[in-house]
């Protein structure tokens, strides 16, 4: 298992939004900061800065994003698990997203301090 993963807290507060699967990707989702767009047969899921999401869109707001500082080999095992385990074992919900180059996690604002403490105690670095 990987140890001493370096995570960087990204600026801003994020919203996780949901729209019907057949909707077009709205213009407001794209811009600065981390953006994630996922579509399944059941939904269109969007993540972006909270301030860009219209109040009329179904959203869960107040998420803070942390980016894993790599690089990591594309097929490296245990990178994500080493960060998720200490958080989830202590009752904190986390949303994990993987991209081609790395991983990101989102935590609710009120869980950030506890999660950072748990990660630090587990040997990780958080800036």
């Amino acid at each position: 298992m990987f140890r001493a993963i370096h995570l960087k807290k990204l600026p801003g507060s994020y919203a996780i939004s949901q729209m019907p699967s057949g909707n077009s990707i709205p213009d407001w989702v794209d811009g600065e900061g981390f953006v994630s767009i996922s579509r399944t047969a059941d939904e269109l899921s969007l993540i972006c800065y909270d301030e860009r999401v219209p109040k009329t869109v179904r959203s869960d707001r107040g998420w803070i994003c942390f980016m894993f500082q790599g690089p990591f080999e594309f097929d490296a095992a245990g990178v994500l698990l080493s960060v998720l385990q200490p958080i989830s074992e202590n009752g904190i919900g986390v949303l994990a997203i993987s991209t081609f180059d790395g991983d990101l996690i989102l935590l609710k604002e009120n869980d950030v301090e506890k999660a950072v403490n748990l990660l630090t105690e587990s040997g990780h670095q958080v800036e």
Side-chain angles (χ1 to χ4, degrees):
M1 177 156 330
F2 276 79
R3 302 304 287 167
I5 301 296
H6 181 199
L7 296 108
K8 179 180 180 182
K9 181 181 173 202
L10 301 182
S13 180
Y14 287 81
I16 302 167
S17 304
Q18 182 188 47
M19 300 177 81
S21 179
N23 278 33
S24 296
I25 297 168
D27 290 339
W28 51 258
V29 74
D30 197 16
E32 291 188 25
F34 171 66
V35 172
S36 178
I37 302 167
S38 300
R39 187 186 307 273
T40 68
D42 300 323
E43 68 175 318
L44 175 62
S45 183
L46 309 163
I47 301 172
C48 68
Y49 279 144
D50 189 333
E51 64 210 32
R52 290 204 300 261
V53 181
K55 300 295 182 203
T56 57
V57 174
R58 181 178 184 200
S59 298
D60 190 355
R61 298 171 186 270
W63 291 84
I64 303 299
C65 189
F66 293 84
M67 179 182 283
F68 291 44
Q69 301 295 286
F72 303 104
E73 294 297 321
F74 191 70
D75 59 351
V79 175
L80 190 56
L81 178 62
S82 71
V83 171
L84 294 180
Q85 194 166 17
I87 297 170
S88 62
E89 285 181 347
N90 285 279
I92 297 174
V94 59
L95 175 65
I97 298 179
S98 295
T99 67
F100 189 90
D101 282 339
D103 300 300
L104 301 100
I105 59 170
L106 289 104
L107 301 164
K108 288 297 278 189
E109 288 178 20
N110 59 345
D111 291 329
V112 167
E113 184 177 348
K114 181 178 179 184
V116 167
N117 288 337
L118 291 166
L119 289 168
T120 302
E121 290 169 8
S122 298
H124 301 295
Q125 299 172 345
V126 184
E127 68 173 81

